[in-house]
Amino acid sequence: MATSPIAMIVSPTAPGAVVWEAWLTAGEVLWSPRQQAWAVSLAPPGREGLFLALASLKDLFLAWPSTVLVGWLNREFNPNCPGCRDELGRFCAVAAGDACVSAAGGTCAAALSPSCPAACPACPGFTDTAPDPRTVWLVVLALSLTSPLLIVAGLPFLRDGVLSFGRDACGTNDDEERKPLLEEPKV
């Protein structure tokens, strides 16, 4: 899921978007149930619902900031092309004699004939001034990788609450786990 933007970095096209969405969906289908099961496994008995609610709080608190970030990324890396649109913002993609008009009949400010663009990349001069679309996907990839990296870094704290020396990344020590099995029961 976190690595799905790689598809758009490799190919920022419609087929690349299909691969990105499929990759993202497959990751969500595989990860979401595991994340909920993991949150429940960390919970003390009787507190499973509270832990699931706390695990879901990120969705609530990150909705607004992520919307603002997407808006900023769109403004910076996916600029508009007002010269290829009518006064209402529709593309002038229909040829009408020697001019281009929108589907509703609106006229464009720029002379676009003989080709009438249906998207900004087809607009004359757009590719000269537009930033590389891969840049925005590199930013998205960097941001999406923070979650798995934070989970891996915090795993020792999440397993048993304290990071101790001599323990492995999962917070366990093989010698401690075997001691009860090797000792004779005291009578």
Side-chain angles (χ1 to χ4, degrees):
M1 206 163 69
T3 57
S4 62
I6 292 172
M8 291 301 289
I9 293 169
V10 171
S11 175
T13 61
V18 170
V19 171
W20 168 66
E21 187 61 38
W23 192 343
L24 182 68
T25 302
E28 182 71 23
V29 166
L30 294 173
W31 171 248
S32 193
R34 295 270 309 160
Q35 188 243 351
Q36 289 180 354
W38 185 46
V40 169
S41 74
L42 294 173
R47 299 282 185 146
E48 293 86 358
L50 176 64
F51 269 59
L52 282 174
L54 289 174
S56 298
L57 274 178
K58 67 173 176 51
D59 298 333
L60 176 67
F61 289 126
L62 293 178
W64 185 80
S66 62
T67 302
V68 171
L69 178 65
V70 167
W72 178 80
L73 287 171
N74 262 330
R75 187 186 72 219
E76 293 298 317
F77 298 104
N78 191 19
N80 195 3
C81 52
C84 293
R85 298 176 185 258
D86 68 7
E87 59 276 354
L88 296 176
R90 294 177 290 221
F91 280 101
C92 294
V94 179
D98 59 348
C100 295
V101 297
S102 68
T107 58
C108 288
L112 302 173
S113 201
S115 67
C116 300
C120 282
C123 191
F126 180 79
T127 54
D128 300 337
T129 60
D132 184 11
R134 289 174 174 87
T135 308
V136 71
W137 292 105
L138 282 169
V139 171
V140 170
L141 176 66
L143 291 173
S144 64
L145 286 175
T146 59
S147 180
L149 292 175
L150 287 173
I151 288 173
V152 169
L155 195 57
F157 299 102
L158 295 171
R159 289 288 166 110
D160 60 358
V162 181
L163 180 63
S164 302
F165 290 109
R167 293 180 176 252
D168 63 14
C170 294
T172 61
N173 186 335
D174 288 339
D175 294 337
E176 290 177 9
E177 291 176 9
R178 280 188 251 162
K179 280 182 186 176
L181 298 174
L182 298 175
E183 293 178 358
E184 293 293 323
K186 296 181 182 177
V187 184

